Amino acid sequence: MARIVQKFGGTSVGDMDRIRHVAGLVKAEHDKGNEVVVVPSAMSGITNGLVDKIHAMSPLHDTREYDVVVATGEQVTCGLLALALQNIGVPARSWLGWQVPINTDDVHGKARIAGIGTENIVSRFAEGQVAVVAGFQGISPRGRITSLGRGGSDTTAVALAAALGADRCDIFTDVDGVYTADPRIVAKARKLDKITYEEMLEMASQGAKVLQTRAVELAMNMGVRLQVRSAFEDLPGTLVVDEDEIVEHQVVSGIAYSRDEAKVTLVGVADEPGIAAGIFGPLSDASVNVDMIVQNVSADGKRTDMTFTVGKADYARAVAVLEGIRDTVSYRSLDLNPDVVKVSVIGVGMRSHAGVATIMFQALSEKGINIQVISTSEIKISVLIAEEYTELALRALHSAYGLDAD
Ligand code: ASP
Ligand code: MG
C-alpha cells in the first residue's frame, strides 16, 4: 500500500466529462489499495474570469476579498470531483482549505503555507475514503480565506504530500512531461525522463509554466517525489529527482524563455557610491521585482548607464517610481523597452563543463541575434534579446546544445 497525492490542473477538470475521466484515474489508484489525496485546480479559465470580475468591481481591491472570490473556483471542482468519485463507487469526501486545515500566513493573494493538520484526512484513510482537497487555498491566523498565488494548487499538492509523508506526488496536466524546450515552438524538443529539482526550479522560475516555482522549491526542500504527467494519455511522465539519481548528465538539460520581462535603462547616472541603492531601494519599496542588472564602467569616471529588467506586471509602477527619483539619482534619460524576451539555458552539468556560454553566444551570433543583457548562475545562463527572435533563438540553441530529437 502506498500513499499518493494526485493533482489535476485546470484543463484536466475543464468540463464534466473530464472530471469523470479524472475520477477514473483516482479510482485506479484507490483500487490498488492505496491511500489517495486528490487536489483539483479550478476549471481552466475560471480563475482568470474571477480575477477580471474583481478588477471590474474594484481595481484597487482589498486582497482579503480577492481571496474570497478566487478561492471559489476550486470549491466547485472539489465538490464535483467528490460526486464523480461517489458515482463510480469510490467513497470520497471534499475538503476546503480551512477544513483540512491548511494554515497559512496572512499575506493575502500569495499566502505561504505555515502548516497542515493531517489528522482529519488520515482518520478518513482508515475508512477507505479518498480525500478531495481544494487546491490554491488556505486559512490565515485570523481565520480568513487565503489564496496561495497563481498556480498555487501545485503547492497545495506538494505541501500535502510532504505533510502526509506521501510516497509520490503526481502532477497531472495537459502536457505529458517536462520538455527540453517548449514543444509548441521547438518541434524537435524531447520529453525528459528525469530532471533534477534544481534544474526544474530554474526552468519554472525562468518561464517554463509546467509547475509553480514555489511548489518545486517546497518539493526540493522536503524531498517530495514529484512526477509531471498527462491527464489524457497513459504515458510515463517526467520525474523530478535528486541529482544523484541521474547518471548521465547533459551539459544543458533544457531551455526556457520568458516574455514577461521589460528592459529599463537609466542613461547617464552618476558613477558614485549610493546610486544603486538609490535606484533599487525605492523600486523594492514599491514591490517591483528586478531581475537582470548590468552597470557599465563609466568612461570618464563620472557618468554611466544602468540597465535592468522588471516583470511586465510591474512595468508601469517601475516607470512611475523612476520618474519620481529623477532628481535624487539624477540620470539623463530613461530608455524603455518592453519588447524583449529572456532566454535561459539550464543544466547542472554546467558546473563541471567549460565553454557552455560560448556555445550560446556563438549560436545566437550565427543567427544575427544581438544580446542585450547577460546574467548567469551556477547552473543557468540567461540572455535578453529582442522578442521577435524568440523562436529563432530557441531553435538555434536547442540544436547547438545537441538536444534535438532524431
Ligand atoms: N486556479 C488557480 C490559478 O489559476 C490555481 C491553480 O490552478 O493552480 O492560478
Ligand atoms: Mg498550473
Side-chain angles (χ1 to χ4, degrees):
M1 189 190 72
R3 196 170 269 188
I4 314 262
V5 175
Q6 297 180 301
K7 184 260 169 179
F8 292 92
T11 44
S12 319
V13 292
D15 60 35
M16 294 305 124
D17 279 338
R18 287 185 171 181
I19 293 177
R20 284 187 199 102
H21 173 71
V22 163
L25 297 176
V26 177
K27 183 178 187 316
E29 285 297 347
H30 185 257
D31 285 351
K32 290 181 205 158
N34 291 334
E35 296 176 335
V36 187
V37 176
V38 201
V39 179
S41 290
M43 291 184 183
S44 54
I46 291 294
T47 312
N48 285 343
L50 293 168
V51 171
D52 290 346
K53 289 194 176 85
I54 295 165
H55 283 284
M57 185 57 73
S58 190
L60 295 172
H61 46 263
D62 178 339
T63 52
R64 283 162 294 202
E65 303 311 334
Y66 168 96
D67 281 352
V68 171
V69 177
V70 294
T72 59
E74 274 73 10
Q75 177 160 348
V76 172
T77 47
C78 164
L80 288 173
L81 183 52
L83 290 173
L85 284 162
Q86 292 171 1
N87 286 346
I88 54 174
V90 179
R93 186 57 68 207
S94 68
W95 298 86
L96 298 181
W98 65 270
Q99 293 172 306
V100 173
I102 296 178
N103 296 304
T104 70
D105 61 18
D106 59 4
V107 184
H108 286 274
K110 45 179 178 224
R112 277 183 179 269
I113 296 177
I116 296 182
T118 54
E119 240 169 73
N120 290 329
I121 288 178
V122 171
S123 70
R124 301 295 181 99
F125 281 157
E127 300 166 23
Q129 223 178 59
V130 168
V132 189
V133 179
F136 183 52
Q137 54 171 267
I139 181 169
S140 79
R142 294 164 174 232
R144 301 220 58 94
I145 305 289
T146 51
S147 72
L148 306 180
R150 298 305 306 273
S153 305
D154 291 343
T155 298
T156 305
V158 172
L160 278 164
L164 290 161
D167 298 282
R168 230 176 49 227
C169 181
D170 285 344
I171 307 280
F172 288 87
T173 175
D174 50 2
V175 292
D176 59 359
V178 180
Y179 277 72
T180 48
D182 185 340
R184 289 166 303 183
I185 294 182
V186 182
K188 290 180 175 165
R190 285 182 294 111
K191 186 169 80 180
L192 295 161
D193 298 329
K194 289 182 178 176
I195 186 168
T196 68
Y197 289 114
E198 272 179 292
E199 289 167 332
M200 192 64 239
L201 192 57
E202 290 283 12
M203 292 282 273
S205 57
Q206 298 309 316
K209 297 222 160 50
V210 59
L211 283 172
Q212 197 203 28
T213 307
R214 204 184 264 183
V216 182
E217 201 175 31
L218 192 60
M220 178 162 84
N221 293 337
M222 306 299 287
V224 172
R225 279 186 81 79
L226 269 186
Q227 184 181 193
V228 177
R229 52 182 304 187
S230 166
F232 306 115
E233 290 167 294
D234 189 14
L235 294 168
T238 300
L239 278 173
V240 188
V241 296
D242 272 328
E243 208 174 324
D244 52 17
E245 275 193 55
I246 300 183
V247 191
E248 197 77 52
H249 279 295
Q250 298 285 331
V251 177
V252 165
S253 303
I255 302 172
Y257 70 101
S258 167
R259 291 193 160 103
D260 188 39
E261 311 249 336
K263 187 178 74 159
V264 177
T265 301
L266 298 184
V267 182
V269 288
D271 190 10
E272 59 190 40
I275 290 298
I279 296 167
F280 298 113
L283 285 171
S284 112
D285 291 343
S287 297
V288 172
N289 267 330
V290 174
D291 181 22
M292 310 167 100
I293 302 178
V294 277
Q295 186 195 330
N296 290 329
V297 183
S298 53
D300 57 2
K302 292 194 187 95
R303 299 221 160 241
T304 180
D305 295 345
M306 181 84 85
T307 299
F308 53 91
T309 63
V310 299
K312 284 218 171 102
D314 295 340
Y315 184 51
R317 212 152 8 107
V319 173
V321 169
L322 294 168
E323 278 164 356
I325 58 171
R326 184 163 199 149
D327 291 338
T328 32
V329 299
S330 97
Y331 52 86
R332 223 174 277 136
S333 61
L334 206 51
D335 186 5
L336 304 171
N337 183 0
D339 303 321
V340 289
V341 61
K342 181 175 60 169
V343 176
S344 308
V345 299
I346 293 154
V348 291
M350 266 181 220
R351 288 201 196 108
S352 48
H353 284 82
V356 184
T358 312
I359 295 174
M360 182 175 206
F361 303 153
Q362 229 143 32
L364 294 174
S365 104
E366 273 161 24
K367 298 290 176 193
I369 301 172
N370 186 40
I371 300 171
Q372 304 180 14
V373 183
I374 303 168
S375 74
T376 62
S377 78
E378 208 189 5
I379 66 160
K380 175 203 79 188
I381 307 163
S382 301
V383 295
L384 198 71
I385 60 172
E387 190 172 13
E388 59 188 300
Y389 296 122
T390 311
E391 284 81 6
L392 185 61
L394 288 174
R395 289 178 197 138
L397 292 170
H398 201 265
S399 303
Y401 286 107
L403 295 172
D404 286 354
D406 310 322

